[in-house]
Amino acid sequence: MTDASTNPLLAPSALPYGLPDYPDIEPAHYLPAFEQAFAEHRGEIDAITRVRSVPTFENTMVALERSGDLLGRVARTFYTVSSADATSEIQQIEETLAPLMAAHHDAVQLDDELYWRVKTLHDRLDELDLDPEQRYLVERHYREMTHAGAGLDDAQKERLTELNQRLSVLTTTFEKNLLADTNELAVVFDDAAELDGLTDGELSAAAQNAADRGLPGRYVVTLTLFTGHPYLSSLTNRESRRRLLEASRSRGSRGNENDNRDLLREIVRLRAERAALLGYPSHAAYVTSDEAAGSPDAVHELLRRLAEPAAANARREQAALQRIVDAEPHPFPLEAHDWAFYTERVREAEYDLDRAALRPWFEAERVLQDGVFRASTELYGTTFTERPDLPSYHPDVRVFEVRNADGSPLGLYLLDLYTRDTKRGGAWMNSIETQSELRGTAPVVVNNLNVPRPADGKPTLLTLDEVTTLFHEFGHALHGLFATVTYPHFAGTAVFRDFVEFPSQVNEMWILWPEVLTAYARHIDTDEPLPAEVVDKLHASEAFNQGFATSEYLAAAWLDQAWHSLGETAAGQVEDVAAFEASALADIGLDNPVVPARYSSTYFAHVFSGGYSAGYYSYIWSEVLDADTVEWFRENGGLTRANGDRFRERLLGAGGSKDPLEAYRDFRGRDAEIAPLLQRRGLA
């Protein structure tokens, strides 16, 4: 057996806040560390179940919460790297690891003796002298183990374990294929004229991408995770726009070794079989039964309520765009790759607003320091000090120490801003370490984005969408930093999936808040603030193009529900992925070919390789709470320490230690109302 002298993963890091000493960690260290961590955790569980005395909170729940410390540390260290710097060697490790991790998770969650002890405590809850967090801990462990299948018989558990292991392999392969196909489909342009409309910085990034791929003198535009692309709004060459969108939409469905169609059909079939085994009519029913929504019916009701007015708005927007095209010397029927370009022309005409021209006001460092960090300081009193002395998993990553208003240490914040071929698409937050009073640990959180890196010597200028993404992901980071709980089970963002997006969406409100905007939105050359008339136009245009934006999102959310609402028999009968998608979108009235879904199934990483299966609706579900919360902040004075402290203490600080809707009521004084969301999206 390896030990800490030869494997740095096997001992707690000596660095501040337990930050892993990544420079000392080699890929070869991971699998041996996982093997030892699995064995150690299994031994800890066996020690709990060997106790012959009556189950108590201390000998069962506390012992369970103390167990798995090494495994959690190794896993968080590895998965941070596998998502953000997935070299071929790391990918191979992840493929090997996936079924091992699934098997170990099942061995714990389905352990008969452990389940009996937890159930015994749950049955006696009213007799035990527990505080609210302790009581909720028993309730959640019992609910999660039951939900995982701990109540099944041995034969059923054996099949469940087989399903979970196979699914872990399939979802890992889906992500690997998507990353490979996304890199392979990056669009190569021979002439800068084909990229007319891009800024100098965007053009330099494309030239740098080409040089990095051994294509000097050419230009490479990499793809984003979602269907569209930020450059579609700027490219004047229609053929270039067509090529870019066509490449994006073909990912995972080209009949090559990275084709995801058979994979996703097997994932859907096995998830449906697993749901049936666990007593549910569908995977969606299984998932939502342990979320705030409660059932697929509640989700479908919300999505259908929003889809009809959103589709109608999109059709009106489309007609307006077609009128512009028809007035041109060579008119043509509007297609999907034209939407963003002509939308910007309408925006310029109706609001005299060119969003692409705003980039000189959004220099990345200033957005971070004087926008994202400043808003947090104003609200919560937090301070951020860069720690270049602390290492990370990639040279791009920056490390900041976070302190509370009184100077006490809070944790670390890591920012990984730039795109690279080894990083999966999209943007996300994850934890390398989580806070727990029981274990005496503090949070270490990471934000990942995929901003194109400019050529050396050029500033990083963000689009308004990228500014929004940074504020959004930082909202997740604050949730991870502020959660203050006793037990690791509740640490950080460990809340219901359809609640987890709420804090991140709320943090977006500060983007255009006057005190914040004035501080960070300064012209890169002149230091002039973003003109007041431009700010007014941004506010006036907030509901602009919301028909498209809401429709593309709802279409993706509905595809997720359609796949995962299939019963076991129906799930095995789907043969044509594209035909299934078309039928599902027609069912909800979102089958407009000019407004494609934000994600098509073959590159829908959220649900086929991430944690959002049957849960992509979570964004709009959480936005009901978000829009209602924004109203509360406006009614109560906005960006103040008093408001921030209330939000932190009653909501963010709770982590997963109480029912999230109960926490929301504690903060807001009532349940959320949907009216602010409908007004925000122009659906009222």
Side-chain angles (χ1 to χ4, degrees), residues 468-548:
T468 301
T469 299
L470 183 54
F471 272 86
H472 176 99
E473 296 304 331
F474 190 73
H476 285 305
L478 289 176
H479 198 184
L481 286 165
F482 288 159
T484 305
V485 300
T486 301
Y487 304 104
H489 197 70
F490 294 142
T493 57
V495 297
F496 291 158
R497 176 62 67 186
D498 52 9
F499 188 82
V500 76
E501 295 298 333
F502 161 58
S504 56
Q505 291 169 331
V506 167
N507 203 57
E508 294 177 26
M509 87 166 80
W510 309 117
I511 296 168
L512 296 181
W513 205 265
E515 306 99 293
V516 181
L517 183 69
T518 301
Y520 79 82
R522 297 269 176 175
H523 196 281
I524 186 67
D525 296 322
T526 67
D527 201 43
E528 290 297 315
L530 193 64
E533 60 270 23
V534 174
V535 179
D536 291 341
K537 292 169 186 173
L538 285 172
H539 283 297
S541 65
E542 283 178 340
F544 177 73
N545 203 43
Q546 278 298 314
F548 175 91

Side-chain angles (χ1 to χ4, degrees), residues 221-298:
V221 176
T222 56
L223 303 179
T224 55
L225 185 60
F226 60 94
T227 296
H229 194 288
Y231 292 177
L232 292 176
S233 65
S234 306
L235 290 169
T236 62
N237 186 311
R238 190 170 187 237
E239 175 61 13
S240 296
R241 299 197 302 267
R242 185 199 64 76
R243 289 180 61 198
L244 196 54
L245 190 61
E246 184 179 87
S248 177
R249 298 182 73 179
S250 68
R251 285 173 293 167
S253 59
R254 297 188 293 150
N256 62 0
E257 61 183 5
N258 298 320
D259 196 303
N260 274 332
R261 287 174 292 188
D262 288 345
L263 274 176
L264 75 88
R265 290 192 301 113
E266 187 177 359
I267 289 170
V268 168
R269 181 178 63 79
L270 296 184
R271 283 174 174 169
E273 181 185 344
R274 181 176 62 184
L277 184 63
L278 291 164
Y280 294 88
S282 68
H283 181 67
Y286 169 69
V287 169
T288 54
S289 69
D290 197 36
E291 302 288 358
S295 72
D297 289 344

